[in-house]
Amino acid sequence: MHTFSGSSNIIKKPKIKLSRVLLLFVVNFLFAQITIAQSVGDFRSAGNGYWNASTSWQTWNGSSWVAATEYPGESACATCDVTISSTDTITAENLTTLAMGSILVNGTLILNPITNPREVALTTNNFEVGSTGTLNFSGSQASLVLPPGAALIFQIGGNISGSCTPNNTIVIGSEKYAACRVNAGTTVYSFGEVLATGSTLNATITTPAALSIDAEICSLLTVTGGYQGPGSNIYYTWLVTDPNGNAVSTSLPTGQLLSALPTSTSTDFNVTILGDYIVSLEVTDGAFSNVETRTITVTADITAPTITCPANISQGTDSSSCDAIVTWTIPTPDDNCGVTSFTSTHNPGDTFPIGTTTVTYTAQDAAFNTTQCSFTVSVTDNEAPTITCPADIDLNVDAGNCSAVATFATPSGADNCSVASVTQTAGPVSGSAFPVGTTVV
């Protein structure tokens, strides 16, 4: 890695020791500087141009800078460092390079891939943006892809510009980050787990533990994290962006942690759009900031509404009626995305006939997930029929007999539903001879 002041001063910085480094922002004072000779095969920008045009570059031949015959990474050269000078702008469209040495951006590197996959893959283990440098993500979709274990280093003043959306990403190996920076150019700033000389402040998201997870739309998600390393009174910021790049409100966006993990902070947020959400936890002690991220892919709603029906109801008929008016409390449906339709076969206050009737409620959400619940209404006739008998009959025996013939009308019955039959259950029938004495009919 080389730094240039004018055209003659050449600065070389020693390597940073990193443990599973994902992205690292570093300030100059963290590293000693020494003067060394330029290496044969190194590249520097020759003005404004495109990365894959050899005319955009010069190469060091051992004694001077000469016009390049190829662009950096066109041929493999793991020791050939690349520098974009402070006054130059280099644009990289769709590009995948072979192995290169370190890359130093003192000017502007524009990432503008125009066809799918919209990626600029630079095969380097050390990528540094100097204090005057800018890494620009052009358009609505662009990704910088670095190999596993690579270090992306930003000095104070170095900046990321462009859209901070999940479509503009920095990918190191299989780990993806939103191409945005909260405290741009004001602190030492890093993404991921860092073990750098003199500083070990690391943001750590503990829930979810995986780098990327799926979540169903309309879910209320909780993320938890803290920091590792020395220090206390560390300030944190949760930043969540939706698939459109808009900030998402969280329940606890900022605060202070008095000690390292297991002391932690949690925040909740709702996911309402299909696609990738980027969750970032930034921790800072005022001089050094570190960020860790998670990607949450929001999928379609497959959860049906929930509903709990009343218990089964048993009730007698209303007085003088062959049915019953039955009431109950209407159940309340619930759904993660909201209920769009709620219907029932019967309503409280309906009149139910004798017997058992099933009442069914149906709830549906916007994704047409449907659920039902049912209960029964059983109505029984507990009201006995009524019957009115004739008045008592007093007779003298018939002449010449020790009995008397008595006649009487069959009494009529009444019932709240209906009388099935009137049957004489005791005594002689009408027209019979009744003996002397009292006979009950």
Side-chain angles (χ1 to χ4, degrees), residues 27-48:
V27 291
N28 288 332
F29 66 82
L30 291 179
F31 304 94
Q33 297 185 350
I34 59 175
T35 301
I36 62 170
Q38 190 73 53
S39 300
V40 173
D42 286 354
F43 289 87
R44 76 175 184 184
S45 58
N48 299 335

Side-chain angles (χ1 to χ4, degrees), residues 102-420:
S102 298
I103 296 175
L104 173 61
V105 179
N106 286 326
T108 300
L109 175 59
I110 298 175
L111 306 178
N112 186 32
I114 56 178
T115 59
N116 290 323
R118 297 178 183 271
E119 296 177 348
V120 175
L122 302 178
T123 308
T124 177
N125 289 324
N126 295 286
F127 189 120
E128 181 176 352
V129 177
S131 61
T132 60
T134 296
L135 182 61
N136 176 264
F137 288 77
S138 179
S140 60
Q141 184 175 350
S143 293
L144 172 63
V145 179
L146 301 176
L152 178 55
I153 304 166
F154 277 71
Q155 297 181 10
I156 283 185
N159 195 24
I160 293 176
S161 64
S163 302
C164 175
T165 75
N167 293 324
N168 287 333
T169 58
I170 297 168
V171 181
I172 298 181
S174 61
E175 301 177 10
K176 183 170 78 170
Y177 298 85
C180 52
R181 184 176 177 185
V182 178
N183 291 323
T186 61
T187 66
V188 182
Y189 201 83
S190 63
F191 287 80
E193 184 179 355
V194 180
L195 183 56
T197 303
S199 180
T200 54
L201 178 61
N202 295 297
T204 302
I205 295 177
T206 55
T207 303
L211 294 174
S212 61
I213 64 168
D214 292 343
E216 194 173 327
I217 193 170
C218 302
S219 300
L220 176 64
L221 301 183
T222 300
V223 290
T224 301
Y227 73 93
Q228 295 176 320
S232 59
N233 298 324
I234 302 300
Y235 291 89
Y236 67 83
T237 300
W238 288 103
L239 175 66
V240 181
T241 56
D242 68 20
N244 295 325
N246 298 316
V248 177
S249 296
T250 62
S251 61
L252 187 63
T254 61
Q256 188 177 15
L257 291 167
L258 300 181
S259 59
L261 287 167
T263 302
S264 62
T265 174
S266 297
T267 193
D268 301 328
F269 61 96
N270 291 99
V271 290
T272 59
I273 303 174
L274 297 177
D276 287 347
Y277 282 68
I278 300 294
V279 178
S280 301
L281 172 62
E282 176 200 278
V283 295
T284 182
D285 59 9
F288 188 91
S289 299
N290 180 254
V291 169
E292 184 163 86
T293 66
R294 293 290 184 267
T295 301
I296 299 177
T297 301
V298 177
T299 58
D301 178 16
I302 59 172
T303 299
T306 59
I307 184 172
T308 302
C309 275
N312 293 336
I313 298 174
S314 295
Q315 184 172 316
T317 55
D318 295 341
S319 177
S320 301
S321 295
C322 195
D323 47 34
I325 295 174
V326 181
T327 61
W328 61 87
T329 300
I330 298 175
T332 301
D334 188 32
D335 185 72
N336 57 331
C337 286
V339 175
T340 58
S341 173
F342 185 51
T343 59
S344 65
T345 56
H346 301 79
N347 297 304
D350 284 355
T351 299
F352 287 79
I354 290 175
T356 299
T357 303
T358 298
V359 178
T360 300
Y361 280 90
T362 302
Q364 186 178 82
D365 64 19
F368 302 104
N369 299 304
T370 301
T371 193
Q372 291 184 328
C373 74
S374 298
F375 64 99
T376 60
V377 174
S378 298
V379 176
T380 55
D381 180 8
N382 298 320
E383 187 173 338
T386 60
I387 186 172
T388 302
C389 283
D392 292 344
I393 301 173
D394 292 324
L395 295 173
N396 294 321
V397 295
D398 294 338
N401 291 307
C402 195
S403 61
V405 174
T407 61
F408 46 86
T410 301
S412 60
D415 188 69
N416 58 322
C417 290
S418 63
V419 175

